[in-house]
Amino acid sequence: MLLVKLSVFASFVSLLALPVTAFGQTEQKAIVSGNDIGAMVLALFAVLAVIVVLASLLKRFNLKFQGASGMKVLSSVSLGPKERLVIVDVGGEKLLLGVTQQRIDCLKELPSDIKLEGKQEQ
């Protein structure tokens, strides 16, 4: 354990020490040049642009990542600012759920052959 601490300390000290040439003069190197900063800023903007484009595509095509857990929200209706009625398919069973800020209640088990009309969530 002590050897590990000493090796970490030695590597830290070597990072802090200035590089010395054969003649005892210190090297003067720029850590980051102007071209490197420009390339970093350009790469940052490219990554941010990719994130924005992917987010807008997900929103436009209403793509949602649903796990392979066998649950799917079929329809949802807002009843108030924090209250909703939701029809959920769980393992082939359709359930009508009442969702509030404090709790979720199963209001009714629906027949599996029920046809939903109107706007549905997929």
Side-chain angles (χ1 to χ4, degrees):
M1 183 74 171
L2 183 60
L3 290 175
V4 172
K5 288 182 181 179
L6 287 176
S7 66
V8 170
F9 179 72
S11 63
F12 179 70
V13 169
S14 68
L15 287 174
L16 292 178
L18 292 174
V20 178
T21 62
F23 299 108
Q25 299 171 347
T26 59
E27 286 185 25
Q28 297 295 324
K29 278 189 173 179
I31 295 174
V32 179
S33 68
N35 292 338
D36 293 339
I37 292 174
M40 280 192 303
V41 169
L42 184 63
L44 174 67
F45 283 130
V47 168
L48 290 175
V50 167
I51 291 172
V52 168
V53 167
L54 289 177
S56 65
L57 285 175
L58 286 173
K59 186 174 182 181
R60 180 178 180 151
F61 294 115
N62 199 16
L63 298 176
K64 295 181 182 175
F65 295 107
Q66 300 213 350
S69 62
M71 294 191 317
K72 187 188 299 185
V73 176
L74 300 177
S75 181
S76 178
V77 176
S78 178
L79 300 176
K82 297 182 181 178
E83 296 86 18
R84 302 182 74 76
L85 282 178
V86 180
I87 298 177
V88 180
D89 184 14
V90 180
E93 267 185 57
K94 293 182 181 168
L95 304 172
L96 177 64
L97 303 177
V99 180
T100 64
Q101 187 176 6
Q102 291 82 19
R103 55 192 285 175
I104 300 172
D105 291 319
C106 181
L107 302 176
K108 185 174 183 180
E109 289 188 31
L110 301 173
S112 60
D113 60 346
I114 190 170
K115 301 292 181 195
L116 301 174
E117 296 180 11
K119 185 179 176 184
Q120 299 176 12
E121 294 183 7
Q122 292 292 333

